[in-house]
Amino acid sequence: MPNNTFEDYKKAVKKKYEIEKNGEHFVYLNSPTRAKLRNLCWELFQQQNRNQDDLNVFSSLLGLAFDVNKKNKFEEQIDKFRPIENFFKGESDPANVDAVNMAAILVDFKARPFNKFRIRELFEDEVQPEDEEPIEDESKIEVLNPQKEVSAGSEILDKFLDRKEREKVSGREELSGIEAIKPKINSFVNVSVEKIPDSDSNPGPSPKFLTKMHFTIMGVVGLLCLISVITYFAFQDKECMQWSGDHYEMVDCDLKIEGYAKSANIEIIDPTLIHLKKIKVCDTTTYFDKNGVAIVWYAKTANGIDFFDAHGRHPENNSPLRPVTHYILNKYVKK
């Protein structure tokens, strides 16, 4: 049985920090100070829409709600990052759960906040844990779309926790607000057994009845076969798409069937990617909207870095696209 304690949570966050301090936010995390951690927090919160759990941690720790127009007020809270600085340096063991939850945000520890971590460990057979081990190949890292994040994982855990609480009270399972009482396993069997005729007192079904049932079953099987054939021919001519330098073009799927797909990179059309375009950027390119949210995305390649006008995956190496950051711009664009 897992310990599921706050100490376990702190150890997991500290382990993630040891990985991330040499990663993308090296400048902020390698030699952390209160000012650096405060600046990293502002950058993370302004460049993407945070889920409600992260926003709750922000307001609970700093005593104010996140607002891109109140940066001065935020910068006054620098001392709130002192426990996190000492925690990362190994100089103290924070007892404030909000400080550790903020530390988890800064190092992108997925199983946050602490309550979600505790539930994940308690029911690890039912809630799929996230792999916190580092992945050497960046193209294999799965990245959620921060623009659409709105915490799909958080909602799943919230619903899961609510269901567990309701089960304790009523012994019933409720899904999507509809209460479903578990049926007795043997109820169907009992009904069926009661209807089995007694060979000593009842001659059983008549030949006419058996013949009628036989033709009924054959009709159902024939109908299913017909539906399968119709479905096959109806969807045989799906449209496909092919990457053409800097955008997708719709092409005939027959090329894929003829074995040309591997070299031509032909795939079934994806409505979420068909309008994706690779773009050229410079110092005058607009990278963020008026709220500071990234509107340009990037992916690293063997030859450098490519920029795109929307979220998705790189058409050539299939790596997930990430929202551009000031760090990336300073490193690859503003030279």
Side-chain angles (χ1 to χ4, degrees):
M1 182 69 179
N3 292 326
N4 317 310
T5 65
F6 185 46
E7 294 299 320
D8 295 329
Y9 181 56
K10 287 189 286 188
K11 290 178 181 178
V13 173
K14 187 64 181 297
K15 179 180 178 181
K16 188 65 161 59
Y17 163 74
E18 295 300 328
I19 298 171
E20 294 298 322
K21 70 179 183 180
N22 296 315
E24 181 176 343
H25 298 116
F26 169 87
V27 175
Y28 299 106
L29 297 176
N30 186 260
S31 298
T33 64
R34 282 168 286 167
K36 288 181 179 180
L37 297 177
R38 177 200 61 187
N39 294 341
L40 174 59
C41 175
W42 182 258
E43 180 174 325
L44 292 176
F45 274 80
Q46 74 163 343
Q47 70 183 247
Q48 54 191 14
N49 294 326
R50 309 303 300 187
N51 60 43
Q52 190 58 50
D53 287 327
D54 288 355
L55 294 174
N56 290 341
V57 171
F58 184 100
S59 60
S60 180
L61 176 66
L62 304 179
L64 70 161
F66 174 72
D67 187 339
V68 294
N69 299 316
K70 296 183 179 180
K71 185 176 181 180
N72 292 336
K73 187 69 174 178
F74 165 81
E75 291 180 340
E76 296 174 2
Q77 312 303 317
I78 187 172
D79 284 336
K80 299 295 180 63
F81 292 88
R82 182 195 298 270
I84 305 175
E85 173 190 354
N86 295 335
F87 175 50
F88 285 159
K89 291 181 176 179
E91 297 176 356
S92 67
D93 190 13
N96 184 350
V97 66
D98 289 323
V100 181
N101 284 334
M102 178 59 75
I105 295 173
L106 297 181
V107 299
D108 196 26
F109 179 69
K110 301 299 184 182
R112 66 177 188 264
F114 167 61
N115 191 47
K116 298 264 177 87
F117 175 85
R118 180 179 64 85
I119 294 301
R120 187 198 73 173
E121 294 296 319
L122 282 172
F123 302 101
E124 61 182 285
D125 291 335
E126 299 183 53
V127 180
Q128 181 66 31
E130 294 192 40
D131 184 6
E132 294 299 332
E133 293 299 325
I135 300 176
E136 295 297 330
D137 186 355
E138 185 178 23
S139 65
K140 296 181 180 179
I141 300 176
E142 292 185 7
V143 180
L144 291 176
N145 181 355
Q147 301 290 67
K148 299 179 181 178
E149 185 177 15
V150 197
S151 58
S154 298
E155 293 179 2
I156 293 173
L157 283 172
D158 288 339
K159 293 179 180 179
F160 175 79
L161 179 57
D162 291 342
R163 177 167 61 83
K164 286 296 177 184
E165 293 297 330
R166 288 195 291 267
E167 287 176 2
K168 292 178 182 179
V169 175
S170 63
R172 300 172 178 177
E173 288 188 351
E174 294 184 9
L175 301 176
S176 303
I178 302 177
E179 185 178 85
I181 303 175
K182 295 181 179 179
K184 295 181 179 179
I185 296 176
N186 293 328
S187 60
F188 179 79
V189 177
N190 291 338
V191 173
S192 300
V193 171
E194 290 174 0
K195 294 184 178 181
I196 296 177
D198 186 349
S199 60
D200 294 334
S201 59
N202 194 321
S206 65
K208 182 178 180 180
F209 174 79
L210 293 176
T211 302
K212 183 178 180 180
M213 179 176 292
H214 172 77
F215 281 109
T216 300
I217 295 174
M218 292 296 293
V220 172
V221 172
L223 179 60
L224 293 176
C225 292
L226 180 61
I227 293 174
S228 299
V229 172
I230 294 175
T231 303
Y232 172 79
F233 285 104
F235 292 94
Q236 189 178 21
D237 296 328
K238 288 183 179 179
E239 291 183 332
C240 290
M241 63 184 187
Q242 176 185 8
W243 183 250
S244 179
D246 61 356
H247 67 283
Y248 278 107
E249 293 182 353
M250 292 197 308
V251 297
D252 193 341
C253 288
D254 288 342
L255 295 175
K256 186 177 182 69
I257 297 174
E258 293 171 2
Y260 185 64
K262 186 174 182 180
S263 59
N265 196 24
I266 297 174
E267 52 188 305
I268 299 299
I269 191 169
D270 185 343
T272 65
L273 295 177
I274 187 64
H275 298 297
L276 181 69
K277 291 183 179 180
K278 184 164 67 174
I279 60 176
K280 295 182 179 180
V281 299
C282 60
D283 291 343
T284 60
T285 301
T286 301
Y287 298 97
F288 306 94
D289 64 15
K290 62 180 181 181
N291 296 320
V293 178
I295 57 176
V296 173
W297 301 75
Y298 77 94
K300 294 181 180 178
T301 68
N303 298 322
I305 188 167
D306 290 336
F307 294 92
F308 296 83
D309 64 350
H311 176 60
R313 53 178 171 78
H314 197 291
E316 295 172 351
N317 60 26
N318 209 36
S319 61
L321 302 182
R322 297 182 174 187
V324 72
T325 64
H326 294 287
Y327 172 82
I328 292 296
L329 295 178
N330 291 332
K331 183 175 180 180
Y332 293 99
V333 180
K334 299 178 181 180
K335 295 184 178 180

